[in-house]
Amino acid sequence: MYDRSVSDTKAFLADPEEATAAERPPSSRVALTVNGTRHSVTVDNRTSLLDLLREHLGLTGSKKGCNAGACGACTVLVDGHRVNACLTLAVRLEGADVTTVEGLAEGDQLHPMQQAFIDEDAFQCGYCTPGQILSGVGCIEEGHTGSPEEIREWMSGNICRCGCYVKIVRAVEQTARRK
């Protein structure tokens, strides 16, 4: 059996500076615009856009539902396109323009989609509502509002556990007609 001396053991240990560096996860600085405000934040490279919004910027409107891209509760717009924020790495968004539900209204004036959700009573518990609203805005911008069937198809990535789908489709239709 090999008997290691104290000096032999030290050869296998990293110096304190190397050990500290190894404990820190890799991080990067990312600059992006969220709801019209420019932010520059250093984040762990594994940080999702959802966690950046909620934990670093205090924007809690986007919800963490499944954290696997299956429910749509975290839907936001990135450069005008719908994305699941839970599946999007924040470090990949250098220079991007992100819109969350908090950024839709202009002062006290609700966005037409937000108003349509109220008018149509298109929510019950409200957990999915921010993602549904952003997905509806994206659906209109993408031109997928030709019929209730088309809206349902293009909104199908957003789950409502309360079953308010008929009213959600009506809210999207109402907003699309106003454009």
Side-chain angles (χ1 to χ4, degrees), residues 78-92:
V78 175
D79 296 330
H81 300 283
R82 297 181 279 178
V83 301
N84 289 325
C86 71
L87 296 180
T88 306
L89 288 175
V91 296
R92 302 287 313 256

Side-chain angles (χ1 to χ4, degrees), residues 21 24-30 41-47 56 91:
R24 271 185 263 129
S27 62
S28 298
R29 191 140 193 90
V30 62
V41 184
T42 300
V43 293
D44 178 322
N45 289 347
R46 302 165 293 180
T47 301
H56 294 269
V91 296

Side-chain angles (χ1 to χ4, degrees), residues 113-126 128-129 132-133 160 163-172:
M113 185 67 74
Q114 292 170 312
Q115 187 61 55
F117 265 68
I118 293 168
D119 295 346
E120 296 296 334
D121 195 24
F123 52 88
Q124 190 168 338
C125 80
C128 72
T129 304
Q132 295 279 4
I133 288 173
C160 174
C164 292
Y165 296 112
V166 171
K167 295 176 180 182
I168 290 167
V169 169
R170 276 195 233 137
V172 175

